[in-house]
Amino acid sequence: MSSLDPHQQLSPGCRDNTTGTGDSSDVCEHSKRPLQGLKLASHAVLEKAQQSGRVKCSKCGGSRMFFCYTCCSLMGVSDEEIPLVQLPVKIDIIKHPNETDGKSTAVHAKILAPNDVTIYTYPCIPEYDRQKVVLVFPGPQAVSVQDMLQSLRDRSTNGSHDFSEPCRKRLRTEGVEGSTQSESISKSQVTPLQKVVFIDSTWNQTNKISTDERLHGLVQVELKARKTCFWRSQKGKPDTYLATIEALYYFMKDFHQQCLGLEYDGEYDNLLFFYSFLHSVINTAKSAAGRS
């Protein structure tokens, strides 16, 4: 994701609505500023770091800008200069081993919400309680964010043995455990939800992880009304297929409004802190090169 390639194709999207794509002029205009209206921390620190250029990571030796996507550590900026996002529920991201680190947006979540986000590399997957954990992934049985908690409550009430049966695979985990939840939201508001799982992979590689027996039986949640604005478009895939950080952001926004019943006031907008800046940089480079 930190590779600022101006020749990557921008998808018209990141619309926070359920309307169609509109005519070509609307799409063109929207693609220039699809991330407007977010309540973000100042990008001045990233602009300064960009001017200074790449920095060598002291851990892996890689040449990086803003952050090391291999080590999940900041580069050229300090912790105090980057926003810290608190989430009302813990997040696990299962990363495909063949997913290119530099193209993944999962690291954005880990850096911006370090207390609440854990990244695992497949085949390392924790053992999950199927009555308390959901998987954000489309499918024929997937429910909306609005219906998610009720689905978990129904499952807990029914007490199905199918969902409480322990995984047969040996548990293998790695990563840093999260700590406290946001103090402003009580535990009772998110009950019975304990954790939300996302898959970080190209869409052509998701099947191996999504069908793993350790994720089998989890309530699946689908974000149906969102559009991507990721500059690395995937050939043949619809614009409703989101980048990992987009999916996490939209899930949290929907959860805040539809499950917690709270008015949204930009609480999780800074999850897109790096993403929105990189989008702007790449779009500017494309415009300078005379590409639409």
Side-chain angles (χ1 to χ4, degrees), residues 10-16 25-38 229 276 279-280 283-284 287:
L10 267 176
S11 299
C14 267
R15 298 182 183 86
D16 189 14
S25 61
D26 290 339
V27 169
C28 181
E29 177 62 24
H30 190 83
S31 67
K32 296 177 182 178
R33 35 182 202 83
L35 296 169
Q36 298 299 301
L38 297 173
C229 64
S276 60
H279 182 279
S280 176
N283 198 40
T284 299
S287 298

Side-chain angles (χ1 to χ4, degrees), residues 15-276:
R15 298 182 183 86
D16 189 14
N17 57 48
T18 57
T19 60
T21 56
D23 60 33
S24 58
S25 61
D26 290 339
V27 169
C28 181
E29 177 62 24
H30 190 83
S31 67
K32 296 177 182 178
R33 35 182 202 83
L35 296 169
Q36 298 299 301
L38 297 173
K39 292 188 175 182
L40 296 171
S42 173
H43 280 150
V45 61
L46 299 183
E47 294 168 355
K48 182 179 179 180
Q50 184 183 18
Q51 293 174 357
S52 299
R54 291 178 174 270
V55 179
K56 184 177 181 179
C57 178
S58 60
K59 297 179 181 179
C60 68
S63 177
R64 307 287 190 250
M65 187 178 293
F66 310 133
F67 52 81
C68 178
Y69 44 75
T70 303
C71 304
C72 289
S73 57
L74 291 170
M75 303 290 297
V77 296
S78 66
D79 292 340
E80 295 75 19
E81 296 174 303
I82 299 300
L84 178 66
V85 183
Q86 289 186 307
L87 306 180
V89 64
K90 299 300 182 185
I91 302 296
D92 278 2
I93 299 175
I94 312 299
K95 181 179 177 294
H96 194 285
N98 295 333
E99 174 72 359
T100 303
D101 288 339
K103 295 182 179 181
S104 169
T105 62
V107 65
H108 298 195
K110 181 59 184 175
I111 291 176
L112 294 167
N115 295 328
D116 299 311
V117 175
T118 305
I119 299 177
Y120 299 91
T121 299
Y122 188 82
C124 298
I125 298 179
E127 181 177 356
Y128 292 123
D129 185 335
R130 288 160 172 76
Q131 297 180 10
K132 298 180 179 179
V133 179
V134 301
L135 171 66
V136 178
F137 193 78
Q141 304 301 319
V143 301
S144 66
V145 175
Q146 185 175 15
D147 296 332
M148 171 187 64
L149 293 184
Q150 187 58 52
S151 294
L152 288 177
R153 293 187 183 108
D154 291 345
R155 176 168 292 192
S156 179
T157 300
N158 293 336
S160 172
H161 293 295
D162 179 54
F163 300 130
S164 60
E165 182 179 314
C167 300
R168 293 188 294 275
K169 283 190 178 180
R170 184 178 180 83
L171 176 65
R172 299 169 60 194
T173 64
E174 64 183 14
V176 180
E177 290 296 327
S179 55
T180 61
Q181 286 187 338
S182 173
E183 295 178 358
S184 62
I185 298 174
S186 68
K187 185 176 181 181
S188 62
Q189 285 179 280
V190 297
T191 302
L193 184 62
Q194 182 185 72
K195 190 168 290 186
V196 183
V197 181
F198 292 81
I199 296 174
D200 184 55
S201 169
T202 63
W203 283 96
N204 291 329
Q205 296 176 329
T206 55
N207 186 64
K208 185 174 183 179
I209 299 178
S210 64
T211 58
D212 189 285
E213 60 190 18
R214 290 166 292 181
L215 298 180
H216 177 70
L218 293 181
V219 169
Q220 285 184 229
V221 179
E222 186 170 357
L223 306 169
K224 298 181 179 180
R226 307 301 189 179
K227 308 289 185 180
T228 186
C229 64
F230 195 28
W231 48 91
R232 300 182 189 279
S233 61
Q234 297 188 46
K235 187 176 181 180
K237 302 301 181 183
D239 59 3
T240 52
Y241 281 19
L242 305 174
T244 301
I245 196 65
E246 290 177 316
L248 203 162
Y249 166 72
Y250 285 129
F251 175 90
M252 293 312 310
K253 186 174 181 180
D254 287 349
F255 181 77
H256 188 87
Q257 295 173 306
Q258 299 174 15
C259 297
L260 301 181
L262 301 174
E263 182 177 351
Y264 186 72
D265 191 30
E267 285 82 358
Y268 314 113
D269 284 5
N270 273 320
L271 287 171
L272 299 178
F273 178 72
F274 291 115
Y275 186 83
S276 60

